[in-house]
Structure formats: C-alpha cells, structure tokens
Tab-separated table of all heavy atoms in Angstrom:
chain	number	residue	atom	x	y	z
A	19	PRO	N	-7.132	23.137	25.365
A	19	PRO	CA	-5.851	22.938	24.764
A	19	PRO	C	-6.003	22.527	23.285
A	19	PRO	O	-7.007	21.944	22.883
A	19	PRO	CB	-5.202	21.807	25.583
A	19	PRO	CG	-6.249	21.253	26.447
A	19	PRO	CD	-7.417	22.200	26.433
A	20	VAL	N	-5.000	22.871	22.491
A	20	VAL	CA	-5.012	22.556	21.079
A	20	VAL	C	-4.982	21.032	20.925
A	20	VAL	O	-4.224	20.336	21.585
A	20	VAL	CB	-3.797	23.194	20.387
A	20	VAL	CG1	-3.750	22.793	18.914
A	20	VAL	CG2	-3.860	24.684	20.541
A	21	GLY	N	-5.822	20.510	20.051
A	21	GLY	CA	-5.853	19.080	19.765
A	21	GLY	C	-6.732	18.296	20.700
A	21	GLY	O	-6.767	17.088	20.615
A	22	SER	N	-7.421	18.945	21.615
A	22	SER	CA	-8.318	18.178	22.494
A	22	SER	C	-9.556	17.769	21.699
A	22	SER	O	-10.024	18.481	20.852
A	22	SER	CB	-8.691	18.974	23.727
A	22	SER	OG	-9.519	20.052	23.363
A	23	ASP	N	-10.078	16.638	22.041
A	23	ASP	CA	-11.232	16.101	21.337
A	23	ASP	C	-12.492	16.409	22.140
A	23	ASP	O	-12.645	15.905	23.259
A	23	ASP	CB	-11.082	14.578	21.133
A	23	ASP	CG	-12.146	13.977	20.276
A	23	ASP	OD1	-12.883	14.746	19.620
A	23	ASP	OD2	-12.251	12.741	20.235
A	24	PRO	N	-13.386	17.209	21.591
A	24	PRO	CA	-14.582	17.550	22.343
A	24	PRO	C	-15.640	16.428	22.365
A	24	PRO	O	-16.577	16.481	23.155
A	24	PRO	CB	-15.133	18.774	21.609
A	24	PRO	CG	-14.666	18.568	20.203
A	24	PRO	CD	-13.330	17.900	20.322
A	25	ALA	N	-15.464	15.406	21.525
A	25	ALA	CA	-16.442	14.325	21.462
A	25	ALA	C	-16.276	13.436	22.683
A	25	ALA	O	-15.166	13.164	23.136
A	25	ALA	CB	-16.224	13.493	20.187
A	26	PRO	N	-17.386	12.950	23.251
A	26	PRO	CA	-17.311	12.053	24.399
A	26	PRO	C	-16.714	10.681	23.950
A	26	PRO	O	-16.807	10.291	22.812
A	26	PRO	CB	-18.749	11.907	24.843
A	26	PRO	CG	-19.568	12.196	23.655
A	26	PRO	CD	-18.767	13.183	22.855
A	27	ARG	N	-16.151	10.010	24.897
A	27	ARG	CA	-15.565	8.707	24.626
A	27	ARG	C	-16.669	7.724	24.308
A	27	ARG	O	-17.704	7.661	24.982
A	27	ARG	CB	-14.802	8.232	25.881
A	27	ARG	CG	-14.037	6.984	25.625
A	27	ARG	CD	-13.287	6.596	26.867
A	27	ARG	NE	-12.657	5.316	26.616
A	27	ARG	CZ	-11.391	5.049	26.874
A	27	ARG	NH1	-10.622	5.964	27.372
A	27	ARG	NH2	-10.902	3.869	26.608
A	28	PRO	N	-16.513	6.904	23.250
A	28	PRO	CA	-17.560	5.969	22.860
A	28	PRO	C	-17.762	4.902	23.942
A	28	PRO	O	-16.824	4.529	24.642
A	28	PRO	CB	-17.062	5.323	21.567
A	28	PRO	CG	-15.643	5.699	21.462
A	28	PRO	CD	-15.372	6.848	22.359
A	29	LYS	N	-18.974	4.424	24.059
A	29	LYS	CA	-19.344	3.430	25.040
A	29	LYS	C	-19.463	2.062	24.364
A	29	LYS	O	-19.965	1.956	23.251
A	29	LYS	CB	-20.707	3.797	25.663
A	29	LYS	CG	-20.684	3.884	27.136
A	29	LYS	CD	-22.051	4.278	27.633
A	29	LYS	CE	-22.477	3.302	28.704
A	29	LYS	NZ	-23.752	3.628	29.266
A	30	ARG	N	-19.013	1.032	25.029
A	30	ARG	CA	-19.101	-0.314	24.501
A	30	ARG	C	-20.574	-0.765	24.575
A	30	ARG	O	-21.258	-0.578	25.552
A	30	ARG	CB	-18.244	-1.254	25.329
A	30	ARG	CG	-18.249	-2.688	24.862
A	30	ARG	CD	-17.397	-3.549	25.753
A	30	ARG	NE	-16.005	-3.218	25.682
A	30	ARG	CZ	-15.120	-3.800	24.905
A	30	ARG	NH1	-15.496	-4.750	24.117
A	30	ARG	NH2	-13.869	-3.412	24.915
A	31	ARG	N	-21.011	-1.398	23.468
A	31	ARG	CA	-22.394	-1.881	23.438
A	31	ARG	C	-22.511	-3.132	24.304
A	31	ARG	O	-21.592	-3.942	24.340
A	31	ARG	CB	-22.797	-2.221	22.013
A	31	ARG	CG	-22.964	-1.052	21.148
A	31	ARG	CD	-23.571	-1.294	19.826
A	31	ARG	NE	-23.558	-2.636	19.326
A	31	ARG	CZ	-24.100	-3.040	18.210
A	31	ARG	NH1	-24.689	-2.168	17.404
A	31	ARG	NH2	-24.068	-4.281	17.828
A	32	THR	N	-23.625	-3.307	24.953
A	32	THR	CA	-23.902	-4.511	25.724
A	32	THR	C	-25.208	-5.095	25.186
A	32	THR	O	-26.076	-4.388	24.720
A	32	THR	CB	-24.033	-4.225	27.221
A	32	THR	OG1	-25.042	-3.270	27.436
A	32	THR	CG2	-22.714	-3.706	27.789
A	33	PHE	N	-25.318	-6.398	25.271
A	33	PHE	CA	-26.468	-7.111	24.765
A	33	PHE	C	-27.060	-7.974	25.833
A	33	PHE	O	-26.339	-8.683	26.532
A	33	PHE	CB	-26.067	-7.982	23.559
A	33	PHE	CG	-25.329	-7.261	22.484
A	33	PHE	CD1	-23.948	-7.392	22.350
A	33	PHE	CD2	-26.011	-6.428	21.604
A	33	PHE	CE1	-23.253	-6.709	21.364
A	33	PHE	CE2	-25.316	-5.754	20.633
A	33	PHE	CZ	-23.942	-5.900	20.499
A	34	THR	N	-28.361	-7.950	25.962
A	34	THR	CA	-29.029	-8.833	26.936
A	34	THR	C	-29.114	-10.258	26.364
A	34	THR	O	-29.036	-10.452	25.159
A	34	THR	CB	-30.457	-8.336	27.241
A	34	THR	OG1	-31.247	-8.428	26.028
A	34	THR	CG2	-30.456	-6.892	27.746
A	35	SER	N	-29.296	-11.210	27.237
A	35	SER	CA	-29.385	-12.591	26.775
A	35	SER	C	-30.639	-12.779	25.898
A	35	SER	O	-30.589	-13.554	24.926
A	35	SER	CB	-29.387	-13.566	27.932
A	35	SER	OG	-30.439	-13.259	28.820
A	36	GLU	N	-31.709	-12.073	26.206
A	36	GLU	CA	-32.914	-12.165	25.377
A	36	GLU	C	-32.645	-11.662	23.967
A	36	GLU	O	-33.077	-12.259	22.970
A	36	GLU	CB	-34.077	-11.376	25.992
A	36	GLU	CG	-34.600	-11.939	27.296
A	36	GLU	CD	-33.745	-11.530	28.497
A	36	GLU	OE1	-32.956	-10.570	28.395
A	36	GLU	OE2	-33.845	-12.183	29.530
A	37	TYR	N	-31.929	-10.557	23.863
A	37	TYR	CA	-31.567	-9.999	22.577
A	37	TYR	C	-30.737	-10.976	21.774
A	37	TYR	O	-30.958	-11.215	20.594
A	37	TYR	CB	-30.841	-8.677	22.745
A	37	TYR	CG	-30.321	-8.075	21.467
A	37	TYR	CD1	-31.132	-7.341	20.636
A	37	TYR	CD2	-28.980	-8.260	21.090
A	37	TYR	CE1	-30.670	-6.796	19.451
A	37	TYR	CE2	-28.476	-7.710	19.913
A	37	TYR	CZ	-29.322	-6.998	19.096
A	37	TYR	OH	-28.850	-6.457	17.936
A	38	LYS	N	-29.729	-11.570	22.423
A	38	LYS	CA	-28.837	-12.514	21.769
A	38	LYS	C	-29.614	-13.713	21.252
A	38	LYS	O	-29.399	-14.123	20.094
A	38	LYS	CB	-27.744	-12.988	22.733
A	38	LYS	CG	-26.782	-11.892	23.142
A	38	LYS	CD	-25.814	-12.386	24.183
A	38	LYS	CE	-24.892	-11.296	24.654
A	38	LYS	NZ	-23.939	-11.757	25.680
A	39	LEU	N	-30.522	-14.262	22.072
A	39	LEU	CA	-31.325	-15.404	21.622
A	39	LEU	C	-32.222	-15.033	20.462
A	39	LEU	O	-32.406	-15.806	19.508
A	39	LEU	CB	-32.140	-15.949	22.798
A	39	LEU	CG	-31.323	-16.646	23.909
A	39	LEU	CD1	-32.231	-16.964	25.070
A	39	LEU	CD2	-30.655	-17.889	23.392
A	40	ARG	N	-32.814	-13.822	20.507
A	40	ARG	CA	-33.708	-13.400	19.461
A	40	ARG	C	-32.935	-13.256	18.139
A	40	ARG	O	-33.404	-13.674	17.074
A	40	ARG	CB	-34.366	-12.074	19.826
A	40	ARG	CG	-35.365	-11.560	18.818
A	40	ARG	CD	-36.053	-10.276	19.220
A	40	ARG	NE	-35.163	-9.184	19.488
A	40	ARG	CZ	-34.651	-8.367	18.569
A	40	ARG	NH1	-34.927	-8.564	17.293
A	40	ARG	NH2	-33.856	-7.381	18.911
A	41	ILE	N	-31.765	-12.656	18.177
A	41	ILE	CA	-30.953	-12.433	16.981
A	41	ILE	C	-30.491	-13.769	16.415
A	41	ILE	O	-30.525	-13.982	15.193
A	41	ILE	CB	-29.765	-11.512	17.290
A	41	ILE	CG1	-30.275	-10.135	17.606
A	41	ILE	CG2	-28.790	-11.464	16.120
A	41	ILE	CD1	-31.065	-9.446	16.501
A	42	VAL	N	-30.070	-14.703	17.234
A	42	VAL	CA	-29.634	-16.006	16.727
A	42	VAL	C	-30.790	-16.716	16.041
A	42	VAL	O	-30.623	-17.269	14.960
A	42	VAL	CB	-29.048	-16.876	17.887
A	42	VAL	CG1	-28.859	-18.303	17.449
A	42	VAL	CG2	-27.749	-16.287	18.383
A	43	ALA	N	-31.986	-16.682	16.662
A	43	ALA	CA	-33.150	-17.297	16.048
A	43	ALA	C	-33.505	-16.628	14.741
A	43	ALA	O	-33.800	-17.296	13.718
A	43	ALA	CB	-34.319	-17.237	16.989
A	44	GLU	N	-33.475	-15.292	14.701
A	44	GLU	CA	-33.784	-14.586	13.466
A	44	GLU	C	-32.743	-14.860	12.379
A	44	GLU	O	-33.083	-15.065	11.225
A	44	GLU	CB	-33.837	-13.070	13.751
A	44	GLU	CG	-34.236	-12.238	12.587
A	44	GLU	CD	-34.354	-10.745	12.940
A	44	GLU	OE1	-34.295	-10.400	14.125
A	44	GLU	OE2	-34.466	-9.958	11.999
A	45	TYR	N	-31.489	-14.910	12.751
A	45	TYR	CA	-30.427	-15.192	11.805
A	45	TYR	C	-30.547	-16.602	11.227
A	45	TYR	O	-30.426	-16.804	10.035
A	45	TYR	CB	-29.058	-15.031	12.474
A	45	TYR	CG	-27.880	-15.216	11.565
A	45	TYR	CD1	-27.415	-14.183	10.761
A	45	TYR	CD2	-27.217	-16.419	11.507
A	45	TYR	CE1	-26.330	-14.332	9.911
A	45	TYR	CE2	-26.113	-16.603	10.678
A	45	TYR	CZ	-25.688	-15.567	9.867
A	45	TYR	OH	-24.629	-15.743	9.045
A	46	ASP	N	-30.832	-17.555	12.097
A	46	ASP	CA	-30.996	-18.941	11.638
A	46	ASP	C	-32.219	-19.132	10.738
A	46	ASP	O	-32.167	-19.964	9.838
A	46	ASP	CB	-31.067	-19.885	12.843
A	46	ASP	CG	-29.720	-20.014	13.571
A	46	ASP	OD1	-28.673	-19.653	12.966
A	46	ASP	OD2	-29.720	-20.449	14.720
A	47	ALA	N	-33.275	-18.373	11.008
A	47	ALA	CA	-34.475	-18.501	10.239
A	47	ALA	C	-34.422	-17.742	8.901
A	47	ALA	O	-35.201	-18.026	7.996
A	47	ALA	CB	-35.673	-17.974	11.042
A	48	ALA	N	-33.490	-16.822	8.775
A	48	ALA	CA	-33.413	-16.017	7.547
A	48	ALA	C	-32.904	-16.856	6.395
A	48	ALA	O	-32.071	-17.748	6.585
A	48	ALA	CB	-32.449	-14.840	7.775
A	49	PRO	N	-33.433	-16.628	5.181
A	49	PRO	CA	-32.892	-17.338	4.005
A	49	PRO	C	-31.423	-17.015	3.830
A	49	PRO	O	-30.917	-15.967	4.283
A	49	PRO	CB	-33.725	-16.773	2.841
A	49	PRO	CG	-34.928	-16.154	3.464
A	49	PRO	CD	-34.538	-15.762	4.845
A	50	ARG	N	-30.739	-17.861	3.108
A	50	ARG	CA	-29.290	-17.758	2.949
A	50	ARG	C	-28.845	-16.368	2.461
A	50	ARG	O	-27.855	-15.836	2.925
A	50	ARG	CB	-28.780	-18.838	2.023
A	50	ARG	CG	-27.297	-18.881	1.849
A	50	ARG	CD	-26.871	-20.068	0.995
A	50	ARG	NE	-25.484	-20.013	0.688
A	50	ARG	CZ	-24.498	-20.483	1.447
A	50	ARG	NH1	-24.805	-21.013	2.606
A	50	ARG	NH2	-23.250	-20.404	1.085
A	51	ASN	N	-29.560	-15.793	1.522
A	51	ASN	CA	-29.133	-14.532	0.952
A	51	ASN	C	-29.573	-13.312	1.782
A	51	ASN	O	-29.305	-12.167	1.381
A	51	ASN	CB	-29.650	-14.408	-0.496
A	51	ASN	CG	-31.166	-14.475	-0.567
A	51	ASN	OD1	-31.831	-14.786	0.422
A	51	ASN	ND2	-31.699	-14.198	-1.753
C-alpha cells in the first residue's frame, strides 16, 4: 500500500547491570571535560 514503511520497527535498547556499573564507574573516573 502507498505510504507503508518498509523499515522494521526500532527495538528498545536494554542494558545489563554489569554494563550500567561499568559506565557509571567510567563516567565518574573521567575528567570533567
């Protein structure tokens, strides 16, 4: 049909607890800038 979107519906990203802890530690350790 006209106007149909052939692209698949985007998927919500999920994060593991290990990833979250690693990112928080990396963010806190990074210099301010």
Side-chain angles (χ1 to χ4, degrees):
V20 176
S22 68
D23 188 12
R27 186 178 175 132
K29 235 178 128 179
R30 182 180 294 265
R31 290 189 342 177
T32 57
F33 307 103
T34 64
S35 56
E36 293 81 18
Y37 174 82
K38 293 175 183 180
L39 291 172
R40 183 177 58 82
I41 294 300
V42 169
E44 184 178 348
Y45 183 84
D46 290 343
R50 183 175 173 86
N51 59 352

